[in-house]
Amino acid sequence: MTARIVAGIDLGGTAVNYTFLDERGQFLIDGLCEHPARSVEGPDVCLAQIAEGLTIAAGKAGVKPADIVAIGLDTPGPASASGVLSRRGSTNFVHPQWAGYDIRAGLERTFKLPVTYLNDGNAAALWGHVSLFGSENSATSVSAIIGTGLGGGVITGGDAVVGRNGFGGELGHVLIPFNLIRGIEGLVPRCNCGRTGDLESLCSLTAIRQSLLPHFLRRQPDHPLAKQEIGAAAKLVRGLAEQGDPLCREIFRVQAHALALFFDEMINVFDPDALIVGGGAVETGPEFRRWFLDEIRVGMPTQREEQSDIPLHVIPNGDTAGARGAALDAAKYVRERCL
Ligand SMILES: [Zn+2]
């Protein structure tokens, strides 16, 4: 009997990450399995890279390519719900041939296999959800992933809410009542999307660089980070916060409280079974992670008694989350169609 394996392919700007999932729901690769993406060279080169990397990854995982029955793909957006990249292009797909390119269909032609598509935030959210609830469940979860921007997703009944245009789960651009956060009085947090005071404008690496670090350094101009270029300084904030630097801790407290206000909105919209956090702020030592999660609870407005114990989790295996979520999406497709 041949095995029925699904592959998960997480395409980022510079690297492709792979995983494989067997019929029992076991992942066949533990950590990262990366191959250069060469996205800047356009679809033809990139798709050939994806195919080459898949063969290498299959070899490492002991998977026969002939046993792969479907592929799950995830990429950064903006893209439609079915995997057509934005006509306006994006930071990760700058080559002109990517504009309006149907990357899901392109991969289907390359591999002659069914390919499912999720954006990277929704894929990571699906992995976070299934790691808590298993693949057959009726639970609802909201995942926020803190990176350069803020991505994530809402999962209900085992599916990501992708929406009419594929923008479901664009959590970073939800406005929050940021003036409730103490310590940032006078700050006008602008997001690259044009909004002021959305979640990403306060809770992302970009927010640290553009808003939070400049704000706190103005109050403390003798801080060592004030001597550095702001982009380089922003990347040092997490490490210093972990070491207990008060200014850097304060930046992460503001981020935790921004997330708290956002999660409060989600609790009232979905009454979810779990809230899940991923990304840089929690890919830290256990003490800092615990403090950050505690600060999220501290920053939340008072909840109804029934909802006050809402579970707050961290996405496990964060760097593989996209590939794992994409594979889970493909596995669901296979199950539903009895392939
Ligand atoms: Zn925004």
Side-chain angles (χ1 to χ4, degrees):
M1 192 188 129
T2 54
R4 285 153 73 242
I5 306 285
V6 298
I9 300 179
D10 172 48
L11 172 61
T14 55
V16 200
N17 183 26
Y18 299 87
T19 198
F20 298 95
L21 183 64
D22 70 12
E23 284 170 87
R24 292 166 303 148
Q26 298 294 312
F27 285 99
L28 306 177
I29 291 179
D30 282 335
L32 273 179
C33 183
E34 283 192 328
H35 193 65
R38 293 172 64 181
S39 317
V40 290
E41 293 169 65
D44 292 345
V45 172
C46 183
L47 264 58
Q49 283 296 108
I50 292 174
E52 182 184 284
L54 186 71
T55 306
I56 296 169
K60 279 186 190 157
V63 168
K64 279 188 282 181
D67 290 343
I68 300 172
V69 295
I71 289 171
L73 168 72
D74 78 290
T75 74
S80 78
S82 65
V84 179
L85 298 173
S86 169
R87 294 209 163 273
R88 283 189 285 270
S90 71
T91 44
N92 290 284
F93 299 104
V94 287
H95 190 283
Q97 280 179 11
W98 284 123
Y101 185 80
D102 187 338
I103 192 164
R104 190 202 60 77
L107 221 54
E108 221 162 52
R109 284 193 301 274
T110 302
F111 290 110
K112 300 184 175 53
L113 286 171
V115 176
T116 60
Y117 178 82
L118 285 175
N119 77 37
D120 54 359
N122 283 335
L126 183 59
W127 159 241
H129 182 94
V130 171
S131 72
L132 286 176
F133 299 109
S135 40
E136 298 287 339
N137 65 81
S138 58
T140 299
S141 69
V142 179
S143 294
I145 296 137
I146 309 162
T148 308
L150 189 133
V154 177
I155 310 293
T156 185
D159 281 313
V161 177
V162 295
R164 183 163 70 98
N165 298 296
F167 295 132
E170 287 288 323
L171 311 182
H173 309 297
V174 175
L175 292 169
I176 55 168
F178 67 94
N179 53 357
L180 295 178
I181 303 171
R182 73 181 151 78
I184 55 166
E185 294 78 8
L187 177 68
V188 181
R190 293 209 170 84
C191 181
N192 291 336
C193 74
R195 287 177 178 77
T196 297
D198 63 13
L199 180 58
E200 184 170 303
S201 77
L202 285 161
C203 194
S204 63
L205 178 60
T206 304
I208 295 178
R209 190 186 68 235
Q210 290 184 356
S211 297
L212 295 174
L213 186 57
H215 172 79
F216 284 104
L217 287 179
R218 273 195 296 277
R219 294 171 155 200
Q220 205 179 310
D222 56 343
H223 190 278
L225 286 182
K227 296 183 192 69
Q228 303 238 18
E229 186 274 321
I230 194 73
K235 288 184 182 152
L236 299 173
V237 170
R238 184 183 66 184
L240 288 171
E242 272 202 87
Q243 291 160 27
D245 178 86
L247 182 145
C248 294
R249 278 258 167 169
E250 193 61 358
I251 287 175
F252 272 85
R253 181 191 61 77
V254 170
Q255 300 207 86
H257 287 202
L259 207 45
L261 293 172
F262 168 77
F263 278 150
D264 175 70
E265 293 175 335
M266 295 301 104
I267 290 169
N268 281 288
V269 176
F270 295 108
D271 188 17
D273 296 275
L275 303 169
I276 306 174
V277 187
V282 287
E283 283 161 13
T284 56
E287 185 276 332
F288 186 82
R289 191 184 307 133
R290 212 172 301 117
W291 169 82
F292 189 79
L293 294 179
D294 287 347
E295 279 299 324
I296 294 174
R297 284 200 191 275
V298 169
M300 269 192 209
T302 308
Q303 301 298 313
R304 291 176 197 91
E305 197 183 332
E306 299 90 324
Q307 291 170 306
S308 60
D309 63 345
I310 182 155
L312 186 56
H313 292 278
V314 170
I315 292 188
N317 308 85
D319 50 4
T320 66
R324 288 186 174 205
L328 289 164
D329 194 40
K332 186 162 192 284
Y333 176 94
V334 168
R335 273 200 310 280
E336 286 171 358
R337 285 161 187 79
C338 306
L339 291 178

